[in-house]
Each structure stands twice: as structure tokens, then as C-alpha cells.
């Protein structure tokens, strides 16, 4: 049989008995490298919406099927789509890392035994103003800043408070990374950072 490349119109001879019981075969044109399918003439025509002609010679191997997208890429796309859906539904704040919930648990001080969820990338801890209010007289008006980065890391920095911010019992002088269940102190108030992965508790 004669097959014609649909891209460059090159014509080639091909032994149609080599189809066997296969309905179509994929080939690569040795002239222009265009990849296409050839229909087995012994099994009838394909429906009108399918392309029929596409060449091959003994010197050119059949093209390999396109491998599926890497699993990691598929997961990344799915995660990005899920994040967009949550933002649109008002369940995810733009700029916050998706799939994670951040909270501060008061371990000591006037607000002891309470927990506050952090709902934005930057949270100010202060005595009577800010996002987390301690009502602790030993805490400055604007005492510390907790920053949640896009990669899911959490950092704390002192805001020139009078009594300082302590992490692991030491007064910090610059931004310090906090890990989940790590404690820090502002005045007489001690906090514990809690990070929960919501992928373990999917939405229904």
C-alpha cells in the first residue's frame, strides 16, 4: 500500500500485511519527522473525524506513545486548583499556604487555656491591640510579629518591646523560625505554635 504524509505529502510504500490484527499504527515520517497514524486497510475506514493517512518505511521506527505527565506535576496542578477553589469559596486566605491551619495556644498569662487561629500571613501580638491581644501588663502594646510564609514556615520577630520576646528561653534580636509545638514568651504570656495539615482531614 502507498501511504502519504499529511504534513509534507511524501509518499512511501508499506506492506499492509504487517498490520496484523491491529487497527491502526503510529509512524514517523522519515522526511519531515511528522508523527501520524496509518489505518489498517483490511479493517475498514475510521469515522470521518479521524485522520487516516500517515507514512512509514523500514528505516524509521514507529513513534513511542507520549508518556503520561509526571505524578508530581499532576499533584502540583491539583493542589493549585484546590487552593483557587478554597479562595473563591472564602475558605482560604490569599497568601496563606494551602492545606495548613496555624494556631497559637496560650499556655500562661491572662489568656491561658485559650487558642486563637491565625488567619492572615502577618499577626501582631500586643497587650491591648493587634491581632492577638494578651491583656498582659508585661506585654508591650505591639510586642511581636508572627509571619507565615508561602512555603509554610513561620517566623517571629520582636517589635522593640520593653521585656523582649523569648524563644527557647533566649531573647531574640531578629527573626527566628518557629516549628510546630514550639513555645515562645511575650512578657508573662507563653504561647505554643500549632500547625495542622488539613490534607489529613479533607473537605466533604
Amino acid at each position: 500500500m502507498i501511504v502519504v504524509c499529511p504534513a509534507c505529502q511524501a509518499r512511501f510504500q508499506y506492506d499492509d500485511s504487517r498490520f496484523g490484527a491491529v487497527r491502526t499504527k503510529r509512524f514517523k515520517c522519515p522526511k519531515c519527522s511528522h508523527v501520524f497514524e496509518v489505518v489498517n486497510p483490511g479493517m475498514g475506514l475510521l469515522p470521518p473525524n479521524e485522520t487516516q493517512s500517515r507514512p512509514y518505511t523500514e528505516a524509521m521506527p514507529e513513534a513511542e506513545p507520549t508518556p503520561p505527565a509526571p505524578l508530581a506535576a499532576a499533584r502540583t496542578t491539583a493542589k493549585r486548583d484546590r487552593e483557587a477553589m478554597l479562595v473563591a469559596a472564602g475558605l482560604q486566605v490569599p497568601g496563606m499556604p494551602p492545606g495548613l491551619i496555624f494556631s497559637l495556644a496560650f499556655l500562661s498569662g491572662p489568656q491561658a487555656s485559650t487558642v486563637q487561629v491565625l488567619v492572615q500571613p502577618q499577626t501582631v501580638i500586643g497587650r491591648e491591640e493587634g491581632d492577638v491581644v494578651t491583656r498582659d501588663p508585661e506585654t508591650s502594646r505591639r510586642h511581636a510579629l508572627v509571619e507565615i510564609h508561602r512555603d509554610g514556615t513561620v517566623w517571629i520577630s520582636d517589635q522593640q518591646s520593653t521585656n523582649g520576646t523569648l524563644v527557647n528561653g533566649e531573647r531574640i534580636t531578629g527573626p527566628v523560625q518557629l516549628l510546630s509545638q514550639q513555645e515562645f514568651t511575650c512578657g508573662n504570656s507563653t504561647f505554643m505554635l500549632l500547625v495542622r495539615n488539613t490534607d489529613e482531614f479533607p473537605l466533604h
Side-chain angles (χ1 to χ4, degrees), residues 12 18 27-31 33 55-63:
F12 302 90
R18 298 189 61 194
F27 302 107
K28 182 177 182 181
C29 177
K31 184 175 180 180
S33 298
Y56 171 87
T57 65
E58 294 296 327
M60 293 299 299
E62 297 181 19

Side-chain angles (χ1 to χ4, degrees), residues 25-171:
K25 280 193 174 185
R26 181 177 292 185
F27 302 107
K28 182 177 182 181
C29 177
K31 184 175 180 180
C32 69
S33 298
H34 179 66
V35 177
F36 53 91
E37 289 181 347
V38 174
V39 181
N40 185 344
M43 301 187 70
L45 297 177
L46 288 175
N49 63 336
E50 296 190 28
T51 306
Q52 186 166 355
S53 175
R54 306 167 181 186
Y56 171 87
T57 65
E58 294 296 327
M60 293 299 299
E62 297 181 19
E64 294 294 329
T66 302
L71 184 57
R75 286 179 177 172
T76 300
T77 301
K79 189 173 184 180
R80 186 167 54 246
D81 292 344
R82 180 175 183 271
E83 177 186 357
M85 177 189 69
L86 292 176
V87 170
L91 302 176
Q92 175 72 44
V93 178
M96 291 285 279
L100 297 174
I101 293 179
F102 302 84
S103 305
L104 287 182
F106 287 76
L107 302 182
S108 66
Q111 303 282 57
S113 301
T114 62
V115 177
Q116 184 164 338
V117 177
L118 307 184
V119 296
Q120 54 193 12
Q122 294 189 338
T123 298
V124 174
I125 300 174
R127 181 177 62 247
E128 295 179 352
E129 64 180 71
D131 306 297
V132 175
V133 176
T134 66
R135 305 196 184 285
D136 176 0
E138 298 299 316
T139 301
S140 296
R141 183 174 61 86
R142 288 176 60 88
H143 196 106
L145 175 67
V146 176
E147 295 183 279
I148 302 172
H149 291 188
R150 185 66 178 173
D151 60 3
T153 59
V154 182
W155 299 77
I156 187 169
S157 57
D158 186 74
Q159 300 298 288
Q160 298 182 336
S161 65
T162 301
N163 295 318
T165 300
L166 281 68
V167 177
N168 295 329
E170 297 185 1
R171 186 165 182 165

Side-chain angles (χ1 to χ4, degrees), residues 2-22:
I2 300 295
V3 290
V4 181
C5 175
C8 68
Q9 304 304 312
R11 299 168 65 86
F12 302 90
Q13 181 73 35
Y14 181 71
D15 183 1
D16 54 4
S17 65
R18 298 189 61 194
F19 278 96
V22 178

